[in-house]
Amino acid sequence: MDTVNQFFRRFPVWAVYLLGALPAFWLFYLGLTGGLGVEPIKALEHEYGELALQLMVLTLSISPMRRLLGLNLMKFRRSIGLLCFFYVSCHLLVWLVLDVQILGQILADIAKRPYITIGMAGFVLMLPLALTSNNFSVRRLGRAWPRLHRLTYAAGLLGALHYVMLVKGFQVEPLFYLGAVVVLLALRLPAAQFRKRQSAPRASGRA
């Protein structure tokens, strides 16, 4: 694992952004040239959404992998999170601009279709995370920054629920993503309790 960590320490963050964004352009090209089947807009919307969910799962897994496996990808957590927001935005734009297009219908769908309501709620939670994923915000917000970015947990859960509710009938894949998010969130509970126990003596000592 030390060898793997040394490799990732040398791996540039800009390359993560570049490699992570390439599928978006490739999928759009396939949609334009008929490579996504008879319903390219629906297919493009689905592909962007699934990539966003995969990146969300990867983002949530970074801390547990470091704690349980010793694999340190903390250097890339911010870039992966921003790529996740990028694909969520692409997913939303395809739905807004290429699929529905009518503003009244968009608002009606958000209000009346629970899976769209949940998906939009997840997107809204991700907006402050994306806007504050920079060094200036980290310095400006101080201790409030990590508390704000705990919204990632709720956004990930809402994204997985959106996928489960979106599909018709019983399908394993959406349930797999939901299960992965739930497990990754549950793995944080012992760590949070441990940190709380560790900080308690220091707090009482200062008092």
Side-chain angles (χ1 to χ4, degrees):
M1 193 58 70
D2 288 341
T3 303
V4 175
N5 286 335
Q6 287 176 8
F7 168 78
F8 283 120
R9 276 196 293 269
R10 293 192 295 267
F11 197 83
V13 174
W14 63 261
V16 174
Y17 284 111
L18 178 62
L19 294 174
L22 283 177
F25 300 101
W26 175 245
L27 287 168
F28 193 79
Y29 170 77
L30 289 178
L32 289 175
T33 57
L36 292 180
V38 295
E39 293 187 333
I41 293 176
K42 289 292 185 184
L44 187 63
E45 190 178 323
H46 170 79
E47 292 293 339
Y48 283 157
E50 189 164 9
L51 279 167
L53 195 50
Q54 290 168 356
L55 288 165
M56 176 60 76
V57 170
L58 179 57
T59 301
L60 293 174
S61 68
I62 288 176
S63 291
M65 283 194 297
R66 184 180 65 166
R67 181 162 51 91
L68 300 175
L69 304 177
L71 178 61
N72 191 352
L73 300 177
M74 297 296 291
K75 173 183 176 181
F76 308 110
R77 185 164 63 175
R78 190 184 304 180
S79 56
I80 295 171
L82 286 171
L83 283 169
C84 175
F85 179 76
F86 169 68
Y87 279 102
V88 170
S89 301
C90 290
H91 172 72
L92 180 60
L93 283 172
V94 171
W95 179 67
L96 293 174
V97 178
L98 301 180
D99 190 357
V100 183
Q101 298 181 340
I102 303 170
L103 179 60
Q105 184 62 49
I106 290 169
L107 296 175
D109 285 346
I110 293 173
K112 295 179 181 179
R113 298 188 178 187
Y115 74 91
I116 295 179
T117 307
I118 287 175
M120 286 299 298
F123 175 74
V124 169
L125 289 181
M126 292 186 72
L127 276 173
L129 304 180
L131 291 173
T132 58
S133 289
N134 53 76
N135 291 333
F136 173 79
S137 295
V138 173
R139 293 191 299 268
R140 186 73 175 176
L141 294 173
R143 293 181 179 180
W145 190 89
R147 291 197 294 271
L148 173 64
H149 278 250
R150 288 174 190 158
L151 290 175
T152 305
Y153 308 153
L157 189 58
L158 290 173
L161 284 172
H162 169 72
Y163 191 15
V164 170
M165 297 173 68
L166 170 67
V167 299
K168 297 178 181 178
F170 177 82
Q171 294 189 30
V172 174
E173 188 176 23
L175 294 174
F176 171 79
Y177 285 115
L178 178 59
V181 170
V182 170
V183 168
L184 289 169
L185 294 182
L187 285 174
R188 281 168 163 75
L189 295 177
Q193 293 170 1
F194 176 76
R195 287 196 297 268
K196 186 176 181 180
R197 288 196 300 268
Q198 289 293 100
S199 62
R202 294 196 296 270
S204 61
R206 287 194 299 269

